[in-house]
Amino acid sequence: MSKKYKLLFNKRYLKDLEKIPKKDREHIKESFSMLADDPRPNGCKKLKGYKRAYYRIRSGDYRIVYTIEDDVLLVLAIGVGHRKSIYQ
């Protein structure tokens, strides 16, 4: 039996999520909740150019940026936004 990761999010993630249309918001929440079972699903990408290891997954036209702490089984959402602006 695989262990579940605890899912946390910071204030920026919550603020960004509120700006997203409701129909997309529900899909994003589903995508993020699936990270509890597999924090590195197919299609996840490790972002380059950061001191810390950040990952991103797609959810339609939106991206969820997060970090993983395997030693304490934790996934922390850093931000969410449209694919055109999330990396700025």
Side-chain angles (χ1 to χ4, degrees), residues 1-79:
M1 182 172 134
S2 66
K3 297 180 181 180
K4 282 201 176 248
Y5 281 68
K6 185 174 182 178
L7 301 175
L8 295 176
F9 30 81
N10 65 10
K11 288 181 184 178
R12 178 183 168 202
Y13 173 84
L14 292 174
K15 218 172 176 180
D16 291 347
L17 196 59
E18 296 212 352
K19 298 175 190 173
I20 295 171
K22 192 171 185 173
K23 66 179 177 74
D24 296 320
R25 200 178 316 154
E26 293 305 315
H27 191 262
I28 289 167
K29 287 179 183 178
E30 280 179 35
S31 297
F32 183 62
S33 67
M34 291 190 309
L35 294 176
D37 294 321
D38 183 9
R40 294 174 185 89
N42 282 343
C44 106
K45 297 239 179 177
K46 187 173 181 181
L47 301 179
K48 298 177 182 176
Y50 297 96
K51 288 182 181 178
R52 201 164 173 189
Y54 291 110
Y55 297 84
R56 72 105 170 118
I57 58 170
R58 292 175 49 184
S59 181
D61 285 340
Y62 294 89
R63 303 294 181 263
I64 302 169
V65 177
Y66 62 98
T67 187
I68 304 167
E69 294 184 27
D70 289 308
D71 53 335
V72 290
L73 298 177
L74 176 73
V75 174
L76 174 65
I78 304 299

